[in-house]
Amino acid sequence: MKWPGSLQARLALGLGLGLAIVWLVTAWITATLLRGEMNEVFDSTLEETAQRILPLAVLDILDREELGISQRIATLRQHEEFFTYIVRDDQGRVLLRSHGAEDAVFPPFEGLGFRQTPTHRLYYDAALQGTITIAVAEPLNHRIEVAREALVGLAFPLIMVIPLSLIGVVVIVWRSLDPVRRFSAELASRDEHDLSSVDNGNLPSEITPVAEAVNQLLDRLRRAMEAERSFTANAAHELRTPVAAALAQIQRLMTETSDAVVSQRGVEIEASLKRLNRLSEKLLQLARAEGGQLRRDTASDIRPVLRMIVSEFERIAGAERLEVDLPDTAVLSDIDPDAFAILARNLIENGLRHGTGDTPIQVIMTANGLLRVINDGPIIPPETLARLTARFERGHTLSAGGGLGLSIVQAIADGTQATLILYSPAPGRADGFEVDFEIPIHH
């Protein structure tokens, strides 16, 4: 039998089986002792019966006018006779018998004491120097029946006690482990964005060290992740000023020089500095996305935020590059507007950067909070599609980019308990790429 994996099931099963075995062994020992005691009582009864009847039988026999006459004791009313007896003389003649006695049951007298045949337990006694003997017999079936009734009397309570005891064990174990279950459930409900300590109150003393170790581990993880996010944000922030200064200097140098070679190198340096500037901006956005506080206590309409982001890209890329479809009714969500602006900007920027041809980028928001961004382009293999939300992961494209856009969106989706799904080809099309972000909304 495979042992259960649950601690509760193991305790309940182990204690239940142990309790049942203890009850059964106790019942067996009790029955054995009871059988021995009953045999002693019945033997004592046989002996006492013989010693009481024998003197009366001797008087009756001596008062008879004729010796050697056999007499059967009559009964006043019909009843079941468990003890039968016969009285014999020294020649083996039966002088007196009880009304239910059968001669074949009583072997010849061979001495005082107990004897046992396959069917009866007997006691022999004698008087008048052994000239008159008595044999008292009890059927073994009578003892077996009495023992069986005693066992039934013991077993009947056990039939009730053992199931009730097992139920009691299960209930006690279940209630005793309730703090452990609550601790486990609370720990299982946590994600990487909630690394606060788990309440370990009322836990058994054996589990408390484990809970304390888990909370210490969570605290170390929280501090490590905070340090990582702080370093990312600070490093990105500190890069912005020197990069901006270097970019300004190289642009000034390009305007002041007439050397074509220097000017060409200046263009290359400017492009590298702009890429570095964009990377620092993405790192700041990633730190913001992973820093928590992505949902607010109140809900607001997020359509104006999306319109503002779309307007920025229409000025940069041209209105003909974007095809926008927004619902007429408000889309209420408790997502932080800054976080929503970051994810919308990254999704639209990703579509504009990697879209091919003259087909406009579709930006669609439904009344139930589904944001869809669709661009054309070649089909992305499934294995590549599954990796696109990882940091610094880029598909097979010649377009510029640092590979952080979709990872930022994924971080915001995780922090807001939203759903992010990537499709390639786009649903209903033979090619293209679609990103669906299901915004948490309030009805």
Side-chain angles (χ1 to χ4, degrees), residues 173-185:
V173 170
W174 185 83
R175 291 181 63 87
S176 299
L177 292 179
D178 187 59
V180 179
R181 286 195 303 274
R182 288 198 303 269
F183 180 83
S184 176

Side-chain angles (χ1 to χ4, degrees), residues 240-256 269-270 273-274:
R240 299 179 70 180
T241 301
V243 169
L247 187 59
Q249 291 294 328
I250 197 64
Q251 289 173 343
R252 181 179 178 181
L253 178 63
M254 289 170 59
T255 60
E256 294 178 350
I269 295 173
E270 181 185 23
L273 289 174
K274 287 182 177 179

Side-chain angles (χ1 to χ4, degrees), residues 34 38 42 138 141-151:
L34 183 60
M38 286 192 303
F42 287 129
E138 176 196 8
N141 289 337
H142 176 239
R143 296 195 177 193
I144 294 173
E145 183 179 353
V146 172
R148 185 185 300 115
E149 291 177 355
L151 288 176

Side-chain angles (χ1 to χ4, degrees), residues 78-297:
Q78 195 68 26
H79 66 280
E80 187 175 2
E81 192 174 24
F82 294 116
F83 296 91
T84 58
Y85 62 90
I86 63 172
V87 179
R88 295 188 178 105
D89 60 12
D90 55 353
Q91 298 179 9
R93 292 176 299 183
V94 177
L95 305 177
L96 187 67
R97 62 165 56 88
S98 61
H99 77 278
E102 300 291 339
D103 294 352
V105 172
F106 300 88
F109 179 82
E110 295 180 354
L112 303 179
F114 292 96
R115 290 182 60 184
Q116 186 166 315
T117 67
T119 58
H120 287 75
R121 176 78 168 173
L122 302 100
Y123 177 76
Y124 289 84
D125 208 341
L128 300 179
Q129 298 181 352
T131 58
I132 297 178
T133 62
I134 186 173
V136 183
E138 176 196 8
L140 294 179
N141 289 337
H142 176 239
R143 296 195 177 193
I144 294 173
E145 183 179 353
V146 172
R148 185 185 300 115
E149 291 177 355
L151 288 176
V152 170
L154 287 173
F156 183 75
L158 290 181
I159 294 175
M160 301 295 295
V161 168
I162 290 179
L164 291 176
S165 300
L166 294 178
I167 294 173
V169 166
V170 172
V171 172
I172 292 173
V173 170
W174 185 83
R175 291 181 63 87
S176 299
L177 292 179
D178 187 59
V180 179
R181 286 195 303 274
R182 288 198 303 269
F183 180 83
S184 176
E186 187 175 354
L187 187 62
S189 65
R190 302 294 181 88
D191 55 22
E192 67 273 15
H193 302 286
D194 185 4
L195 298 177
S196 58
S197 297
V198 182
D199 182 22
N200 59 356
N202 299 324
L203 280 176
S205 58
E206 294 82 2
I207 306 298
T208 300
V210 178
E212 292 176 350
V214 170
N215 284 331
Q216 292 173 2
L217 177 61
L218 289 175
D219 184 62
R220 289 196 296 270
L221 287 174
R222 178 178 54 79
R223 285 183 291 172
M225 293 187 69
E226 287 178 352
E228 179 185 353
R229 286 194 292 264
S230 177
F231 173 79
T232 301
N234 292 335
H237 182 74
E238 293 297 327
L239 278 174
R240 299 179 70 180
T241 301
V243 169
L247 187 59
Q249 291 294 328
I250 197 64
Q251 289 173 343
R252 181 179 178 181
L253 178 63
M254 289 170 59
T255 60
E256 294 178 350
T257 185
S258 57
D259 190 329
V261 176
V262 173
S263 179
Q264 178 60 33
R265 289 186 178 179
V267 171
E268 295 173 356
I269 295 173
E270 181 185 23
S272 298
L273 289 174
K274 287 182 177 179
R275 284 196 300 271
L276 183 58
N277 190 52
R278 285 195 300 270
L279 178 59
S280 64
E281 183 66 29
K282 293 297 182 183
L283 289 174
L284 282 174
Q285 292 180 2
L286 182 60
R288 171 70 176 87
E290 294 181 341
Q293 304 293 332
L294 300 181
R295 300 183 73 163
R296 303 193 305 175
D297 296 332

Side-chain angles (χ1 to χ4, degrees), residues 8-87:
Q8 176 176 311
R10 288 185 180 185
L11 287 175
L13 182 59
L15 292 175
L17 289 177
L19 185 61
I21 292 173
V22 167
W23 274 104
L24 293 175
V25 171
T26 302
W28 178 78
I29 294 174
T30 303
T32 302
L33 295 176
L34 183 60
R35 187 182 298 111
E37 293 296 326
M38 286 192 303
N39 286 333
E40 290 183 6
V41 171
F42 287 129
D43 285 349
S44 177
T45 303
L46 284 174
E47 185 175 0
E48 185 175 353
T49 300
Q51 292 176 0
R52 285 177 177 269
I53 294 176
L54 184 57
L56 299 177
V58 170
L59 292 176
D60 180 69
I61 293 170
L62 293 177
D63 288 341
R64 294 178 186 176
E65 296 180 356
E66 297 183 28
L67 300 177
I69 304 293
S70 177
Q71 181 180 356
R72 185 182 294 271
I73 301 298
T75 180
L76 297 178
R77 62 185 64 86
Q78 195 68 26
H79 66 280
E80 187 175 2
E81 192 174 24
F82 294 116
F83 296 91
T84 58
Y85 62 90
I86 63 172
V87 179

Side-chain angles (χ1 to χ4, degrees), residues 239-371:
L239 278 174
R240 299 179 70 180
T241 301
V243 169
L247 187 59
Q249 291 294 328
I250 197 64
Q251 289 173 343
R252 181 179 178 181
L253 178 63
M254 289 170 59
T255 60
E256 294 178 350
T257 185
S258 57
D259 190 329
V261 176
V262 173
S263 179
Q264 178 60 33
R265 289 186 178 179
V267 171
E268 295 173 356
I269 295 173
E270 181 185 23
S272 298
L273 289 174
K274 287 182 177 179
R275 284 196 300 271
L276 183 58
N277 190 52
R278 285 195 300 270
L279 178 59
S280 64
E281 183 66 29
K282 293 297 182 183
L283 289 174
L284 282 174
Q285 292 180 2
L286 182 60
R288 171 70 176 87
E290 294 181 341
Q293 304 293 332
L294 300 181
R295 300 183 73 163
R296 303 193 305 175
D297 296 332
T298 59
S300 60
D301 187 7
I302 59 175
R303 292 179 303 165
V305 180
L306 184 58
R307 289 196 189 99
M308 179 185 68
I309 301 300
V310 169
S311 298
E312 292 180 4
F313 281 104
E314 286 179 341
R315 290 194 300 270
I316 297 172
E320 70 281 356
R321 290 286 289 138
L322 294 172
E323 184 179 299
V324 184
D325 183 8
L326 302 181
D328 296 329
T329 57
V331 180
L332 299 177
S333 175
D334 61 357
I335 187 173
D336 183 80
D338 290 339
F340 179 70
I342 291 173
L343 77 88
R345 182 177 287 108
N346 278 280
L347 290 180
I348 296 174
E349 185 181 62
N350 185 78
L352 289 172
R353 178 174 289 117
H354 299 291
T356 59
D358 298 327
T359 304
I361 307 304
Q362 291 181 287
V363 180
I364 304 170
M365 176 180 284
T366 63
N368 60 357
L370 179 62
L371 176 62

